[in-house]
Amino acid sequence: MARALLLRIARCYPPLPTSSALSQPRPLPPPLLRRQAPSPLRFVPASSVSTSSDAPRDGGGGRKGEEDGAEGGGYVDYLGMSDEELMGQCEMGTFKASGPGGQHRNKRESAVRLKHRPTGIIAQAVEDRSQHMNRASALSRLRTLIALKVRRPINLEDYTPPVELLQILPLKSTIRGKDVGPQIGPNNSKFSPGMQALLDLLFAVEGSVSDAAKILGLSTGALSRLILSDDSLRTAANELRASKGLKPLR
């Protein structure tokens, strides 16, 4: 009876190791892996990322020509070109516009996108069913964007405001002759060259509206009202002033 009880107890426990097994070294457990600390994030400034609407600038603040642009450090009057000449510098693409506009809007690739090769500026038009009309609208917007984005250097020592700038100035300007004609407003197609010339002057005077107003024979308030009369001009002028550490015009 006692022997049977001992056998039942022995089955419940594992056998004891022999002397030979005790003499063998036990394998070590695998080493614990050390968790490395995550590497710090690296941020790339936005100015170092090139976009389709950006082109390399030279030291004078203007954009360098590439294929059909300036050669030998010169500057090309893109806004003075005819539509055919300006189109010759562009890559044109067509696509189907999305969104509301009627059942016939997406039937054809009537939307137009233009990329100006010398500056990299892109303009597009999608609102018309006619590709020809969208092409004309995109070209008009391209002229406006060139005026807003492309800066030309000015030598203030012998500076004379160009006619296109005089044409957009208020009649109260003391340097505006009678032969200039009536004032041109933002809705006129000739406003873009004058807007470009005004932004060139603002760039030359480090964004100072008062200094630019003295050169143009206007009060600071009168020139400020001219800049604020067009949303695109106001935005471009305020971006220029912000780059110089100046407060925006309101």
Side-chain angles (χ1 to χ4, degrees), residues 115-134:
K115 179 179 180 180
H116 189 230
R117 289 191 300 268
T119 61
I121 297 174
I122 293 177
Q124 67 181 26
V126 302
E127 60 272 11
D128 203 281
R129 295 180 183 175
S130 168
Q131 185 182 114
H132 178 75
M133 295 297 296
N134 283 333

Side-chain angles (χ1 to χ4, degrees), residues 1 74 88 101 143-144 150 156 158 162 165 177 183 193 207 212 221 224:
M1 186 71 178
R143 290 184 180 275
T144 301
V150 179
L156 294 175
D158 56 355
L165 175 53
Q183 182 183 7
S224 297

Side-chain angles (χ1 to χ4, degrees), residues 13-127:
Y13 293 92
L16 296 175
T18 62
S19 59
S20 60
L22 291 174
S23 61
Q24 294 180 0
R26 298 179 61 183
L28 297 176
L32 296 177
L33 297 178
R34 299 183 61 186
R35 188 175 182 180
Q36 296 181 352
S39 57
L41 296 176
R42 297 180 61 189
F43 296 95
V44 180
S47 59
S48 65
V49 181
S50 60
T51 62
S52 59
S53 61
D54 293 332
R57 294 177 179 270
D58 61 5
R63 296 180 184 270
K64 290 183 180 180
E66 294 177 358
E67 297 179 15
D68 304 298
E71 297 181 358
Y75 292 87
V76 178
D77 182 15
Y78 299 119
L79 300 186
M81 294 180 175
S82 64
D83 288 348
E84 291 74 17
E85 291 172 334
L86 191 57
M87 275 297 301
Q89 295 186 331
C90 295
E91 297 175 3
M92 175 176 164
T94 59
F95 59 98
K96 292 181 180 180
S98 60
Q103 59 180 346
H104 302 293
R105 182 174 183 182
N106 295 329
K107 297 296 184 182
R108 297 180 180 179
E109 294 187 350
S110 58
V112 174
R113 180 185 292 111
L114 298 178
K115 179 179 180 180
H116 189 230
R117 289 191 300 268
T119 61
I121 297 174
I122 293 177
Q124 67 181 26
V126 302
E127 60 272 11

Side-chain angles (χ1 to χ4, degrees), residues 2 46 72 152 156 209 228 237 239:
R152 301 169 297 181
L156 294 175
V209 176
L228 296 174
E239 289 178 353

